[in-house]
Amino acid sequence: MIIDAHSHLWLKQDTSWDGKPIRSLKNGRSIFLGEEVQMIPPFIIDGRNTAEVFLSNMDYAQVSAAVVVQEFIDGIQNDYLAEVQRHYPDRFLTCGMVDYLKDGFCEEAVALMDQGFKGIAIPGHRLLGKPLTSDEMLKMFREMERRNVFLSITLEDGDKQVSELSEVIAECPRLRVAIGHLGMANPPQIPCWENESWRRQVLLARHENVMIESGGITWLYNSEFYPFPSAIRAIREAAALVGMEKLMWGSDYPRTITAITYRMSYDFVVKSQELTDEEKRLFLGENAKKFYGFGELPHLQYIKNMSE
């Protein structure tokens, strides 16, 4: 059983962040902060990063379920993700998101919870200095805790948001928190295990209801490429700090699969000789099943490639 704890879906990118545009083009390309980039694989020619295309990838890679988070750079996708949740409740768990840079966002977040979203996503690294400990943020977190709605959050580099999230956890100890990108583990040229602020971010998972997920780790170590030995080292270092039972695999689909296939985004873990079978089982699915509360999941048959 494999569960993806960090993925993205959208119908169209048409937004901006920090005054710079993000807009879907054709053939998987986008204008991203003023630069043309290959945002998604080139076979997605219409720019629509849909649940159906993702499900095809999941079935092929034998991934039973996925958590869909949100990011400012994709635009707010609540309407589409609510539809995805209704259509595929046994395969997807989707997060809502609001514009935290504008006043009044707490009421909007509560409306999303009323609508049925079981998770709220915050791209903390894109809050442009707005604190996680503002009165309105804390009001939202208290309501999430009361309703057992989990928080999916990515923190910026450094210690500022680590300290802020520590205050949130102290204020809302029953709030379930998934911290993304393995604490923004550094690329191999700057080993994360030598970075004290990275260690402090991972150590937040010592709290009972806090987990770390590895969404985007193959992007962080893209310069090293498959089989990403430094990414395995980072996972092992994080496990040494908080235990493998506090870590979850995430792909950051679809951006990461412009360089690799979806299966490759976890296959480097499966084939690693530095992790035990039990560690792989916990990291790739069991921890996420327990944390997110997934029920019975489909068992997906392996389909042989024609080239085998």
Side-chain angles (χ1 to χ4, degrees), residues 72 76 78 96-100 105-106 108-109 112 120-121 140:
F72 283 160
I76 294 175
N78 295 325
M97 186 181 72
V98 295
D99 189 346
Y100 308 104
F105 64 79
C106 182
E108 294 181 33
L112 292 177
I120 296 294
M140 182 183 72

Side-chain angles (χ1 to χ4, degrees), residues 272-289:
S272 172
Q273 300 299 310
E274 300 183 51
L275 299 170
T276 67
D277 288 345
E278 175 66 7
E279 288 173 329
K280 294 172 186 177
R281 185 181 68 83
L282 292 172
F283 180 67
L284 291 174
E286 285 296 329
N287 293 340
K289 187 175 189 295

Side-chain angles (χ1 to χ4, degrees), residues 16-273:
S16 64
W17 178 75
D18 198 17
K20 299 176 182 177
I22 302 101
R23 189 175 70 256
S24 294
L25 303 174
K26 63 180 182 178
N27 299 334
R29 299 178 184 180
S30 293
I31 296 296
F32 177 63
L33 307 180
E35 177 185 12
E36 185 172 335
V37 301
Q38 192 72 46
M39 179 67 67
I40 53 180
F43 55 76
I44 304 179
I45 60 175
D46 60 0
R48 291 165 54 90
N49 171 34
T50 65
E52 288 74 22
V53 172
F54 190 17
L55 277 171
S56 181
N57 275 278
M58 290 167 63
D59 289 349
Y60 171 75
Q62 297 175 278
V63 174
S64 296
V67 180
V68 182
V69 305
Q70 294 200 55
E71 240 273 32
F72 283 160
I73 63 172
D74 301 327
I76 294 175
Q77 301 287 330
N78 295 325
D79 291 344
Y80 179 55
L81 294 188
E83 178 184 332
V84 169
Q85 189 69 72
R86 286 192 300 270
H87 285 177
Y88 307 105
D90 59 334
R91 304 297 300 276
F92 290 119
L93 181 56
T94 64
C95 294
M97 186 181 72
V98 295
D99 189 346
Y100 308 104
L101 302 179
K102 296 180 180 179
D103 293 338
F105 64 79
C106 182
E107 290 184 9
E108 294 181 33
V110 170
L112 292 177
M113 297 180 224
D114 289 341
Q115 188 178 342
F117 279 101
K118 303 300 183 184
I120 296 294
I122 298 181
H125 59 312
R126 300 196 194 277
L127 291 181
L128 302 176
K130 188 163 187 175
L132 298 171
T133 51
S134 69
D135 290 344
E136 192 167 15
M137 279 285 192
L138 289 174
K139 181 180 178 182
M140 182 183 72
F141 293 140
R142 292 188 194 102
E143 185 64 15
M144 291 171 64
E145 180 186 40
R146 187 182 75 82
R147 298 182 184 223
N148 194 29
V149 171
F150 69 86
L151 169 65
S152 173
I153 187 167
T154 297
L155 301 180
E156 64 185 21
D157 292 333
D159 295 329
K160 179 177 178 288
Q161 288 187 325
V162 173
S163 299
E164 291 176 357
L165 189 55
S166 294
E167 292 183 40
V168 172
I169 294 167
E171 178 74 18
C172 305
R174 297 187 309 279
L175 175 65
R176 290 181 293 143
V177 181
I179 299 172
H181 297 312
L182 203 76
M184 290 300 281
N186 304 80
Q189 297 85 353
I190 315 169
C192 60
W193 46 90
E194 297 177 5
N195 184 328
E196 189 57 35
S197 63
W198 175 80
R199 293 169 61 87
R200 281 194 284 270
Q201 190 171 152
V202 171
L203 285 170
L204 289 171
R206 286 184 172 179
H207 294 280
E208 180 180 1
N209 293 311
V210 180
M211 301 286 283
I212 305 289
E213 47 94 340
S214 72
I217 195 167
T218 60
W219 157 65
L220 293 168
Y221 291 96
N222 182 61
S223 63
E224 193 175 68
F225 204 65
Y226 188 91
F228 308 107
S230 294
I232 293 291
R233 173 74 185 273
I235 293 166
R236 291 179 58 236
E237 293 288 343
L241 291 172
V242 295
M244 189 61 77
E245 68 276 6
K246 302 293 284 185
L247 307 181
M248 305 182 292
W249 169 71
S251 70
D252 208 9
Y253 175 98
R255 280 178 274 269
T256 47
I257 66 165
T258 56
I260 59 175
T261 67
Y262 185 51
R263 183 186 290 273
M264 288 170 70
S265 66
Y266 72 80
D267 187 63
F268 75 99
V269 174
V270 173
K271 292 181 178 175
S272 172
Q273 300 299 310

